[in-house]
Amino acid sequence: MAYRITDTCVACGTCAGECPVGAISEGDIYSIDPEKCIDCGTCASVCPTGAIEEA
């Protein structure tokens, strides 16, 4: 199951820099492509606001 970024995202970019497969895209808030996400949880572990959760 892929992860998703909630509306508590502050667009700091920390997660995008840590994603090993480049599944995270920049925007007003960041988003995770569920087709690319390998469900490793790295993004959730580095998110300073806890905005990333399992979908």
Side-chain angles (χ1 to χ4, degrees):
M1 181 175 290
Y3 281 77
R4 70 181 191 92
I5 300 175
T6 67
D7 60 2
T8 58
C9 173
V10 296
C12 68
T14 302
C15 59
E18 295 295 321
C19 180
V21 295
I24 302 173
S25 301
E26 185 176 358
D28 291 337
I29 65 170
Y30 281 61
S31 62
I32 299 173
D33 181 341
E35 297 296 317
K36 291 182 181 178
C37 179
I38 60 170
D39 198 30
C40 67
T42 301
C43 57
S45 69
V46 299
C47 180
T49 62
I52 302 174
E53 60 187 32
E54 286 188 87

